[in-house]
Amino acid sequence: MASTLRYVSCCLLASAAVAGCASDDSTEDTSTSEAALSSSEQTAFNFFVAKGLTKVQAAGVIGNLMQESSINPKAVQFGGGPGRGIAQWSVGGRWDTSRSDNVTWYANQHNESRGALHTQLAFIWYELTTFSGYGLGSLRAATTVTAAVTAFQDKYEICGQCDSSRRISFAQQALSAFGNRGAGCFSGTLNKEMPDNACVQSKFDHLWWQCDNGSWVDRWTDPEPCNGIHPL
């Protein structure tokens, strides 16, 4: 699905040294499924709203992740830097080394791929709720897009050259694009938006997926009944 947000990738800017620029890492694949084909921006936005953040606060997170990686879970920092994934966690640190606080460890603990969008979103939430220094309190106190962007930027991303104005712009676009939507999911199989709890058999892997508050999940892990069944 084409991205709803219209933006110019930070890596195409003349100032390619801006912190957070990332390119695609084709060596680490994600599953081809209904979940993988959803809009990554909307999936991430709905994920954080489902966790209890307001839409303004969720937009602040999305604005940061857009600047860091365009919410590409396979992103590698532009120019060969250490940043990886949607939040550009560093190799040698929060990507694969920090004790009980790195993406690789978290993925292994949950038998998931570290290159999967949902794994990386869940890891962000794990860090926010486990380590107070990453600023969940400040994020939850934010009532404006600027405050939400700043809270996540300063305490979670801890970036060098942050380019806050671009992060705020991305966040405002996300709030405008997704803030008034319901919690549906885009189906790559049916090529249309599906309502919450719709169950679709994917043409990509033949598995059953259920829309769960904006994200596709394994049908058999969701206790809610299907709101419409769509076999191949």
Side-chain angles (χ1 to χ4, degrees), residues 2-227:
S3 171
T4 304
L5 301 182
R6 298 293 179 254
Y7 60 90
V8 178
S9 171
C10 65
C11 296
L12 297 180
L13 295 177
S15 56
V18 172
C21 283
S23 60
D24 187 270
D25 176 11
S26 60
T27 63
E28 193 165 285
D29 196 15
T30 55
S31 60
T32 302
S33 65
E34 293 304 298
L37 292 172
S38 297
S39 159
S40 59
E41 295 91 348
Q42 185 175 2
T43 296
F45 182 88
N46 289 339
F47 175 88
F48 291 111
V49 170
K51 292 298 184 182
L53 296 185
T54 67
K55 292 178 179 180
V56 165
Q57 293 161 2
V61 176
I62 301 312
N64 275 281
L65 298 180
M66 287 295 295
Q67 172 69 4
E68 292 293 329
S69 66
S70 298
I71 315 189
N72 176 3
K74 298 186 292 180
V76 174
Q77 187 173 343
F78 187 79
R84 299 290 187 274
I86 60 174
Q88 290 293 276
W89 298 281
S90 292
V91 171
R94 287 160 67 192
W95 177 250
D96 57 3
T97 304
S98 298
R99 187 173 183 272
S100 298
D101 184 21
N102 70 80
V103 177
T104 303
W105 165 83
Y106 182 87
N108 290 339
Q109 288 289 110
H110 294 82
N111 295 315
E112 297 175 352
S113 167
R114 68 179 182 179
L117 176 60
H118 183 270
T119 302
Q120 294 184 18
L121 291 172
F123 178 69
I124 290 175
W125 194 248
Y126 162 78
E127 286 196 307
L128 287 173
T129 55
T130 303
F131 307 102
S132 60
Y134 287 134
L136 181 57
S138 297
L139 181 60
R140 280 180 164 155
T143 58
T144 66
V145 166
T146 297
V149 167
T150 301
F152 195 82
Q153 165 191 285
D154 291 352
K155 296 194 174 184
Y156 188 87
E157 289 295 347
I158 319 173
C159 45
Q161 294 175 294
C162 294
D163 199 352
S164 299
S165 62
R166 284 178 58 80
R167 293 170 191 262
I168 292 168
S169 177
F170 285 140
Q172 290 169 335
Q173 291 178 57
L175 185 61
S176 176
F178 309 131
N180 294 320
R181 288 192 180 187
C185 304
F186 181 82
S187 168
T189 295
L190 301 175
N191 197 33
K192 63 180 180 180
E193 194 82 8
M194 301 302 293
D196 195 35
N197 287 316
C199 293
V200 175
Q201 186 179 17
S202 173
K203 69 179 181 180
F204 303 98
D205 55 18
H206 299 281
L207 299 178
W208 280 93
W209 298 86
Q210 183 165 351
C211 180
D212 182 7
N213 203 26
S215 299
W216 290 106
V217 299
D218 183 339
R219 164 68 189 99
W220 312 114
T221 65
D222 194 319
E224 296 296 323
C226 290
N227 175 21

